[in-house]
Amino acid sequence: TAPTWPADQVKAIYSPTYSADCNFANWGGCVAYTNDTYGKKYVMGAECWGFGLDGYTLNCLTMEKLHADIWIADDASLRLVPIYGGAGLTTDDSHGKFVNLTGQQWNSIDLTLSSDFAGLDLSSIFQFKVDNANGLTIWIGNVYFYRESAIVDDDAPYNVSGHMASQSYFSV
């Protein structure tokens, strides 16, 4: 199903619902992928370890979770790896998270950034890797970062009770 988070609470890597600008990369030279009705379809070679999504740079410091919708032909455990750039460029797989997927159905995955990707620099995410996928057929429907609540303007004035102040509370 289509995601329903407000667009200002989402940083999309790939999604038919949200604005996103990514390339589907054939990093290992053994991946065939196509667009189809369900999203991006990957058919992995028998010796192929995974694939990537790149071509964007996202500042995800205000995001709380990573969401992915993945359909897979057979039960499998895949590793999802956000990769960050800048001075701390890493392809360090220790920031990856293994997820168990059930075959012949869409798997909706929500991972908490602060615990599932502890230590990851979220200020400059520029690639996303899915690996441990040898010989699998996979559809990617959505991949995005999100937060469950709207971002509050830290510079807005507050009254003593902690509620946002309106001009009616103050006189000059």
Side-chain angles (χ1 to χ4, degrees):
T1 59
T4 58
W5 294 105
D8 63 348
Q9 292 172 217
V10 173
K11 304 266 182 154
I13 294 174
Y14 171 74
S15 176
T17 302
Y18 301 110
S19 176
D21 186 23
C22 83
N23 301 312
F24 280 69
N26 185 356
W27 289 345
C30 57
V31 179
Y33 71 88
T34 58
N35 283 315
D36 79 8
T37 309
Y38 304 110
K40 294 283 188 174
K41 178 182 179 182
Y42 281 89
V43 179
M44 311 299 288
E47 300 297 319
C48 189
W49 54 267
F51 58 89
L53 294 81
D54 62 16
Y56 56 87
T57 301
L58 299 174
N59 180 338
C60 296
L61 289 172
T62 60
M63 300 294 107
E64 299 168 333
K65 296 193 176 188
L66 171 70
H67 176 86
D69 292 316
I70 301 173
W71 187 97
I72 193 163
D74 301 302
D75 292 357
S77 179
L78 298 180
R79 184 169 41 191
L80 307 180
V81 187
I83 301 172
Y84 62 92
L89 172 63
T90 184
T91 56
D92 180 0
D93 289 337
S94 68
H95 291 296
K97 175 71 176 177
F98 276 97
V99 293
N100 294 319
L101 304 176
T102 303
Q104 298 299 312
Q105 71 181 39
W106 281 98
N107 295 263
S108 185
I109 302 152
D110 288 289
L111 301 172
T112 303
L113 297 176
S114 62
S115 57
D116 292 318
F117 299 105
L120 179 66
D121 179 356
L122 296 170
S123 67
S124 184
I125 303 295
F126 79 108
Q127 292 177 330
F128 185 80
K129 178 171 68 170
V130 178
D131 67 8
N132 200 44
N134 296 14
L136 300 175
T137 298
I138 300 167
W139 277 267
I140 301 296
N142 290 284
V143 179
Y144 58 85
F145 295 92
Y146 72 99
R147 63 178 295 112
E148 293 178 325
S149 58
I151 298 171
V152 176
D153 181 0
D154 292 334
D155 295 327
Y158 287 82
N159 63 23
V160 178
S161 67
H163 295 91
M164 291 227 14
S166 70
Q167 291 199 351
S168 63
Y169 288 117
F170 296 94
S171 61
V172 182

